[in-house]
Amino acid sequence: RHPEIPETFKTRLHWKDRYNSDIVYLQNKTEVYILNLLSEEILGHYTASKEIKMTVQDDQGIVWLAFSDTLLSYHPNGEKRVLTLSGAGLNKLSPLKIVRTRDGKIFMAEKHRGRIYELVWEESGSQIVPIMHIKGMRTIFEIIEDKEGEIWFCTLNGLWSMGRTGARQRYRPNDRVHYFTEDAEGNK
């Protein structure tokens, strides 16, 4: 336990950053701590008045907190931006599925509608940019990036991938695929 984190903080989730194993996230319903394990430094502490669904940090150091109806983004310079999902033409997403790719992009998927978006921070403002709508994709359980940079979607109706040539259904067993993994050699 980090000495600056209150004893009353009960973590619900904790995970290591996928691309920087020195970084760990500690999250409960309304708070997130981001820690550097090597330096034991608290890199960020974020609180909210409602339940945090997901948290991700991009290569610019921007922390995105996802709620059922909004996204908050915190820039390292202290700037905070709020994006309402209804303002971006989206319904409430509960829960959101978000992944950060090796090239620093942040993708978000609507769990029940097969729509994929990119979260973009620009000087003029943060945006939710529609990337594609995959007809037939239902209930996204997980989003994972493989070693070649292809994005995989584990869904209620099979395994889908999104690469440079678009999206396609790759595997349809008895429908449900809850998780996808690849080994050190890139075998899926």
Side-chain angles (χ1 to χ4, degrees):
R1 186 170 244 336
H2 193 279
E4 294 177 40
I5 297 177
E7 284 294 323
T8 56
F9 180 83
K10 302 285 188 226
T11 185
R12 172 173 67 118
L13 297 171
H14 64 279
W15 65 95
K16 284 189 173 183
D17 187 291
R18 181 171 180 178
Y19 301 110
N20 182 348
S21 61
D22 299 339
I23 306 297
V24 67
Y25 298 82
L26 302 174
Q27 178 180 325
N28 66 18
K29 283 189 175 192
T30 59
E31 290 182 274
V32 175
Y33 283 93
I34 303 173
L35 304 172
N36 183 311
L37 294 176
L38 289 180
S39 69
E40 297 185 3
E41 175 185 7
I42 294 177
L43 303 175
H45 175 228
Y46 306 94
T47 60
S49 59
K50 52 190 167 183
E51 185 175 353
I52 301 167
K53 299 293 186 184
M54 297 202 65
T55 305
V56 67
Q57 185 174 25
D58 67 21
D59 287 353
Q60 299 175 62
I62 298 164
V63 175
W64 298 83
L65 302 180
F67 303 91
S68 62
D69 59 350
T70 55
L71 289 166
L72 290 180
S73 55
Y74 293 91
H75 195 279
N77 69 10
E79 185 180 353
K80 173 182 160 184
R81 296 182 184 171
V82 178
L83 291 168
T84 61
L85 300 180
S86 60
L90 285 79
N91 293 328
K92 286 186 175 186
L93 310 176
S94 181
L96 292 169
K97 292 296 177 183
I98 298 177
V99 66
R100 181 182 87 195
T101 61
R102 283 180 184 75
D103 61 2
K105 293 181 179 177
I106 306 287
F107 290 105
M108 176 180 77
E110 286 188 88
K111 183 176 179 184
H112 298 294
R113 292 173 46 180
R115 292 193 171 107
I116 314 300
Y117 304 87
E118 183 177 355
L119 303 180
V120 179
W121 179 290
E122 296 174 339
E123 291 301 316
S124 59
S126 298
Q127 298 180 51
I128 300 172
V129 180
I131 300 296
M132 65 177 56
H133 177 209
I134 304 171
K135 293 184 189 280
M137 182 192 294
R138 301 183 334 217
T139 308
I140 300 169
F141 297 115
E142 192 65 60
I143 306 173
I144 300 161
E145 180 187 26
D146 70 15
K147 289 179 178 18
E148 286 85 39
E150 196 157 359
I151 308 296
W152 294 83
F153 302 91
C154 302
T155 76
L156 185 63
N157 60 328
L159 186 63
W160 297 71
S161 69
M162 180 178 75
R164 290 179 281 288
T165 59
R168 61 188 175 129
Q169 189 172 28
R170 301 289 292 260
Y171 178 68
R172 186 177 177 139
N174 293 330
D175 289 341
R176 286 173 207 251
V177 176
H178 284 271
Y179 196 76
F180 170 86
T181 189
E182 96 183 301
D183 65 20
E185 288 82 41
N187 297 311
K188 297 161 183 74

